[in-house]
C-alpha cells in the first residue's frame, strides 16, 4: 500500500552553508502503489465526462480542419519544448519560433535565443515522441532516452540515484513540499509505469492522466521531470489512436490551471488502502481535473480548426479575385506551386523560395513566381530574413496561433473575461505596432 517512509538527512557541518542548509533531520518520502495492480474506482459521472472528451478529441482528427491543426501542432505545443528550466514559461512569439524552425534548414535571422532553443526542442520532442508511438513496447530505456533527447545538456543521465524533492531548500528535503520515492524504489516503479503504459486497462484519457500523475509522483530524474512528464501524456494519447497528429494542447491548459493541477496531484498521492474513500476521492479529483483540461483543450483546438478553415476559404476567394484582375482564371491549376503552397501555409507559415523548392521539389522560377503571386494577392507578407533573402509570412496564421495561446493562458479561456495569467504571445496589433 502507498506509504510515507521516514528517513534521516545527514547534517553537513563542513559545507560552509548557512545553518539552515547544513543541518540534518527527519523527513518523509512518499512511495506510491504500483499502478498495474492497483484497483481503480471511477464514478459514472467521471467515466461519462472522459468518454465525451475522447469523442471531442477524435473529432479533431477527422473534421474539416484536421490537416491544418496537425500542421500547426508544433506551434501550439511549443511550451512543451522550452529547452531549459531557467526559461520555463517564457513564450517567444509564433513568428520567432517559425523563423527559428526555418533556420534549421536555411540561413535565416530575426529571432532570439529563446526561440532557437524552443525550435530545437520541438524537433527533438516530435522525433522522440514519434519513436515512442511507433515502438511495439515502450521500455524504461525508451523513457530515459526521451529524457536525454529533451535535456541534451543534463549531466545526470538515466534514472536518478539520489533523493530529490520539490520546494523548500535547495540543500535538503527537510522543509520540502513533496519528497518523491527514495532512489532504490525508482526503477521498479518506472518498470510498472511502462507496463501500464503499454496496456489498455483503462480508456486513453484515464490512462494518460494516471501515467502523468504517477510519473510526476515518482520524479525519476534529477531534472527535467516536467518536460518528460508532459511528453508522456502525448505518447499515451497517440499510441491509443486518440491524437495521431499530437494536436491536443492539454499541457497548456494544465499550465494555466496551476493551482488545480498541483492540488490534483497532491490529492492523487493517498496513503494506505487504495479502496479507502480518501484514496478513491483523491484519484478521482486528479482525473477530473485532467479530463476537464483535455475537454477544454479539445474545444479550443476545434475553434482554432474552424478559424483556420475560414481563413483558407477567405484566401481562396482573395486569390481568385486577384487573379481575375490579372486576366487569369480565378482558380490556380490543381497541382501548381501556388495551389500547393496555399494548402501548406498552416504547416509552414514562413517560407522562402528555397523552402518551396525543397518541400515541393520544384525549380526556382515557379517557386518564386508562386510566392510572389500570393504576396501580391495580400495572402503573404514579404520580410527580409537574411541578406538578399526574402521570407514570405502567412501572418494571419501566426496571429490565429497567438490568439489561441492567449485564450489558453486565460483562467477562463476567454481573454474578454480574464487576461492571460502566464506568458503568452502579444496581441497582433501590439506585435505589429
Amino acid at each position: 500500500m502507498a506509504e510515507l517512509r521516514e528517513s534521516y538527512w545527514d547534517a553537513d557541518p563542513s559545507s560552509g552553508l548557512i545553518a539552515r542548509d547544513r543541518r540534518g533531520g527527519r523527513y518523509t518520502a512518499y512511495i506510491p502503489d504500483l499502478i498495474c495492480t492497483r484497483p481503480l474506482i471511477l464514478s459514472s459521472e467521471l467515466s461519462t465526462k472522459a468518454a465525451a472528451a475522447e469523442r471531442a478529441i477524435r473529432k479533431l482528427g477527422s473534421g474539416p480542419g484536421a490537416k491544418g491543426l496537425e500542421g500547426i501542432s508544433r506551434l501550439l505545443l511549443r511550451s512543451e519544448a522550452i529547452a531549459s528550466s531557467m526559461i520555463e514559461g517564457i513564450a517567444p512569439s509564433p513568428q520567432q519560433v517559425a523563423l527559428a524552425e526555418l533556420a534549421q534548414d536555411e540561413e535565416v535571422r530575426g529571432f532570439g535565443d529563446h526561440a532557437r532553443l524552443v525550435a530545437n526542442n520541438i524537433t527533438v520532442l516530435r522525433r522522440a515522441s514519434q519513436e515512442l508511438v511507433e515502438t511495439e513496447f515502450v521500455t524504461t530505456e525508451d523513457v530515459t532516452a526521451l529524457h536525454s533527447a529533451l535535456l541534451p545538456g543534463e549531466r545526470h543521465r538515466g534514472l536518478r540515484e539520489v533523493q530529490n524533492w520539490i520546494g523548500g531548500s535547495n540543500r535538503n528535503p527537510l522543509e520540502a513540499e513533496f519528497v518523491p520515492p527514495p532512489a532504490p524504489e525508482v526503477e521498479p516503479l518506472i518498470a510498472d509505469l511502462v507496463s501500464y503504459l503499454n496496456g489498455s486497462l483503462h480508456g486513453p484519457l484515464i490512462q494518460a492522466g494516471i501515467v502523468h500523475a504517477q510519473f510526476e509522483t515518482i520524479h525519476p530524474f534529477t531534472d527535467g521531470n516536467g518536460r518528460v512528464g508532459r511528453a508522456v501524456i502525448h505518447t499515451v494519447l497517440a499510441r491509443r489512436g486518440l491524437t495521431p497528429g499530437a494536436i491536443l494542447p492539454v499541457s497548456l491548459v494544465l499550465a494555466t490551471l496551476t493551482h488545480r493541477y498541483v492540488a490534483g496531484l497532491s490529492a492523487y498521492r493517498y496513503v494506505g488502502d487504495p479502496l479507502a474513500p480518501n484514496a478513491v476521492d483523491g484519484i478521482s479529483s486528479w482525473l477530473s481535473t485532467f479530463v476537464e483540461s483535455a475537454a477544454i483543450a479539445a474545444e479550443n483546438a476545434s475553434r482554432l480548426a474552424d478559424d483556420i478553415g475560414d481563413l483558407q476559404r477567405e484566401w481562396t476567394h482573395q486569390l481568385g479575385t486577384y487573379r481575375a484582375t490579372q486576366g487569369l482564371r480565378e482558380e490556380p491549376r490543381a497541382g501548381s506551386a501556388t495551389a500547393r503552397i496555399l494548402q501548406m501555409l498552416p504547416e509552414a507559415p514562413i517560407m522562402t523560395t528555397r523552402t518551396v523548392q525543397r518541400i515541393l521539389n520544384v525549380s526556382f522560377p515557379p517557386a518564386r513566381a508562386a510566392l510572389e503571386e500570393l504576396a501580391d494577392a495580400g495572402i503573404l507578407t514579404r520580410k527580409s530574413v537574411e541578406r538578399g533573402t526574402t521570407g514570405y509570412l502567412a501572418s494571419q496564421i501566426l496571429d490565429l496561433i497567438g490568439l489561441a495561446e492567449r485564450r489558453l493562458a486565460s483562467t477562463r479561456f476567454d481573454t474578454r473575461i480574464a487576461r492571460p495569467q502566464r506568458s503568452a504571445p502579444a496581441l497582433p496589433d501590439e506585435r505589429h505596432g
Side-chain angles (χ1 to χ4, degrees), residues 109-429:
R109 56 180 170 79
F111 55 89
D113 290 340
H114 291 158
R116 187 193 306 275
L117 289 170
V118 171
N120 289 342
N121 248 263
I122 287 173
T123 301
V124 169
L125 178 59
R126 286 167 67 86
R127 184 188 308 124
S129 296
Q130 189 63 34
E131 290 172 357
L132 289 183
V133 170
E134 293 176 351
T135 188
E136 185 174 0
F137 295 105
V138 176
T139 65
T140 297
E141 289 72 24
D142 290 327
V143 177
T144 57
L146 175 61
H147 174 260
S148 296
L150 290 175
L151 287 91
E154 172 63 28
R155 292 185 300 113
H156 304 289
R157 299 300 181 93
L159 301 178
R160 61 180 168 87
E161 298 179 352
V162 296
Q163 181 66 68
N164 58 358
W165 59 90
I166 300 172
S169 169
N170 289 330
R171 302 295 182 177
N172 62 62
L174 304 185
E175 298 176 0
E177 296 171 12
F178 174 70
V179 182
E185 304 288 342
V186 171
E187 187 171 353
L189 284 168
I190 287 294
D192 167 69
L193 184 143
V194 296
S195 293
Y196 176 75
L197 187 154
N198 285 320
S200 57
L201 185 60
H202 304 115
L205 264 187
I206 297 299
Q207 183 181 21
I210 291 175
V211 166
H212 180 71
Q214 188 80 348
F215 184 92
E216 294 301 332
T217 295
I218 300 169
H219 239 58
F221 302 112
T222 55
D223 191 23
N225 291 286
R227 261 162 281 162
V228 181
R230 292 190 293 271
V232 297
I233 293 175
H234 305 297
T235 298
V236 172
L237 297 181
R239 284 178 67 86
R240 294 295 299 274
L242 203 59
T243 58
I247 56 177
L248 188 71
V250 62
S251 295
L252 295 181
V253 179
L254 291 172
T256 299
L257 302 178
T258 303
H259 296 300
R260 288 185 58 188
Y261 173 67
V262 173
L265 288 180
S266 297
Y268 173 87
R269 296 162 184 159
Y270 64 88
V271 175
D273 185 355
L275 294 178
N278 69 304
V280 173
D281 291 346
I283 294 176
S284 294
S285 174
W286 157 248
L287 289 175
S288 293
T289 296
F290 185 81
V291 167
E292 181 182 342
S293 297
I296 292 169
E299 179 182 351
N300 279 270
S302 178
R303 177 176 175 180
L304 180 58
D306 290 342
D307 289 343
I308 290 172
D310 290 343
L311 180 58
Q312 288 186 303
R313 285 186 287 275
E314 180 183 325
W315 281 343
T316 299
H317 175 74
Q318 192 171 336
L319 178 61
T321 301
Y322 169 75
R323 287 174 63 88
T325 65
Q326 303 301 303
L328 302 172
R329 55 176 290 189
E330 292 189 9
E331 186 175 338
R333 177 178 52 82
S336 67
T338 299
R340 294 165 70 189
I341 291 172
L342 200 60
Q343 292 301 312
M344 291 175 52
L345 289 180
E347 181 178 357
I350 299 181
M351 297 183 180
T352 65
T353 303
R354 182 181 172 188
T355 309
V356 176
Q357 288 182 269
R358 183 179 72 250
I359 295 176
L360 300 186
N361 193 27
V362 297
S363 62
F364 180 87
R368 178 64 180 271
L371 289 171
E372 282 294 309
E373 180 178 38
L374 291 170
D376 288 340
I379 294 170
L380 297 178
T381 302
R382 297 176 182 89
K383 176 183 175 64
S384 175
V385 294
E386 185 52 68
R387 184 174 301 173
T389 301
T390 300
Y392 297 83
L393 280 66
S395 57
Q396 290 170 297
I397 282 287
L398 298 172
D399 289 346
L400 285 180
I401 294 168
L403 290 171
E405 288 204 4
R406 286 181 62 82
R407 287 196 300 269
L408 288 167
S410 163
T411 54
R412 301 292 293 276
F413 304 101
D414 186 338
T415 53
R416 295 170 300 180
I417 301 174
R419 291 180 59 81
Q421 297 300 301
R422 56 178 175 78
S423 297
L427 289 169
D429 57 347

Side-chain angles (χ1 to χ4, degrees), residues 8-23:
Y8 190 84
W9 186 265
D10 291 327
D12 187 8
S14 63
S15 65
L17 301 171
I18 61 173
R20 176 176 176 270
D21 288 336
R22 66 173 183 263
R23 65 194 174 99

